[in-house]
């Protein structure tokens, strides 16, 4: 069965610093990969997704992620964070042909001035 | 921008009672989903629904759960006899296609079973 590991439960960072949120998945077959963000009292919002093609994926709000098949990773990065990026970030995976998303436990990004 | 809405935002119920959680998916979407998140745990898939029938379900989605699209706009999740362990945040989502496409999530219903 698919699983997703987000090793960091919480990442504190100062405003304008770069950040990387780590995500590893378990699969030996092709997968689709997603990053969602959840702001307080809101639903999950898609940041970006990898389906195929270029391994570097750009998303909304200046985020990007790189698919690394050999390391089964899909880490999320942003070169300079804002206070407004404070939120919970979820990595998710799905198998082609299936609808369900399998989520990681989430990483809380805390941006301070 | 169209969004998925869910009602109620919070619900408190007694163990053994039936609850119905309601969702209004985005209007041109064809696939509908329910997920749940027990406090401090992962977001877990429950069920997907297409063309008026369940297309996928998880092992969590047992006979206590059912889903329905009673009219052209609502999508509901019913829990027949709630247990303490059903306490969670329940998210509805919808998408245009079944896979590859972005699933758009609602804000969730927080269910507390006492």
């Amino acid at each position: 069965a698919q699983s997703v590991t987000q090793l960091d439960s919480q990442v504190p960072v100062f405003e304008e610093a770069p950040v990387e949120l780590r995500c590893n998945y378990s699969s030996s077959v092709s997968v689709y990969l997603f990053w969602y963000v959840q702001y307080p009292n809101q639903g999950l919002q898609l940041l970006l997704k990898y389906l195929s093609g270029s391994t570097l994926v750009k998303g909304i709000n200046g985020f990007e992620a790189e698919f690394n098949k050999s390391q089964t990773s899909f880490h999320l990065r942003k070169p300079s964070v804002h206070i407004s990026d404070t939120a919970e970030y979820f990595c998710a995976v799905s198998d082609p042909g299936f609808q369900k998303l399998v989520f990681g436990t989430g990483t809380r990004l805390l941006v301070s001035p | 921008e169209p969004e998925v809405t869910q009602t109620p935002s919070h619900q408190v119920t007694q163990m053994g009672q039936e609850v119905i959680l309601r969702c209004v998916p985005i209007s041109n979407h064809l696939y509908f989903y329910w997920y749940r998140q027990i406090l401090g745990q992962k977001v877990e898939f429950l069920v997907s629904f297409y063309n008026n029938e369940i297309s996928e379900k998880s092992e969590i989605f047992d006979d206590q759960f059912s889903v329905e699209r009673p009219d052209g706009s609502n999508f509901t999740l019913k829990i027949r006899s709630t247990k303490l362990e059903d306490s969670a945040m329940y998210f509805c989502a919808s998408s245009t296609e079944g896979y590859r496409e972005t699933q758009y999530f609602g804000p969730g219903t927080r269910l507390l079973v006492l």
Side-chain angles (χ1 to χ4, degrees), chain B residues 96-110:
Chain B
T96 53
E97 299 288 339
Y99 63 99
R100 296 173 60 96
E101 293 301 319
T102 300
Q103 294 182 21
Y104 292 85
F105 284 75
T109 293
R110 185 167 296 283

Side-chain angles (χ1 to χ4, degrees), chain B residues 56-72:
Chain B
E56 280 180 53
K57 63 179 182 178
S58 71
E59 56 277 7
I60 302 169
F61 193 86
D62 60 21
D63 292 344
Q64 291 297 315
F65 292 92
S66 62
V67 289
E68 192 179 29
R69 189 153 162 82
D71 52 43

Side-chain angles (χ1 to χ4, degrees), chain B residues 39-58:
Chain B
L39 192 63
Q41 297 186 26
K42 298 182 180 187
V43 176
E44 302 171 290
F45 170 80
L46 293 177
V47 66
S48 61
F49 190 84
Y50 169 71
N51 199 25
N52 276 323
E53 53 185 39
I54 291 173
S55 48
E56 280 180 53
K57 63 179 182 178
S58 71

Side-chain angles (χ1 to χ4, degrees), chain A residues 55-74:
Chain A
T55 57
L56 183 63
V57 180
K58 294 193 183 296
I60 62 171
N61 301 340
F63 284 93
E64 64 181 32
E66 184 151 22
F67 170 61
N68 188 319
K69 188 173 182 179
S70 62
Q71 297 188 4
T72 59
S73 68
F74 190 55

Side-chain angles (χ1 to χ4, degrees), chain A residues 69-90:
Chain A
K69 188 173 182 179
S70 62
Q71 297 188 4
T72 59
S73 68
F74 190 55
H75 300 333
L76 181 71
R77 295 191 292 257
K78 186 169 182 178
S80 176
V81 294
H82 302 137
I83 298 283
S84 59
D85 292 323
T86 294
E88 188 95 20
Y89 292 79
F90 293 93

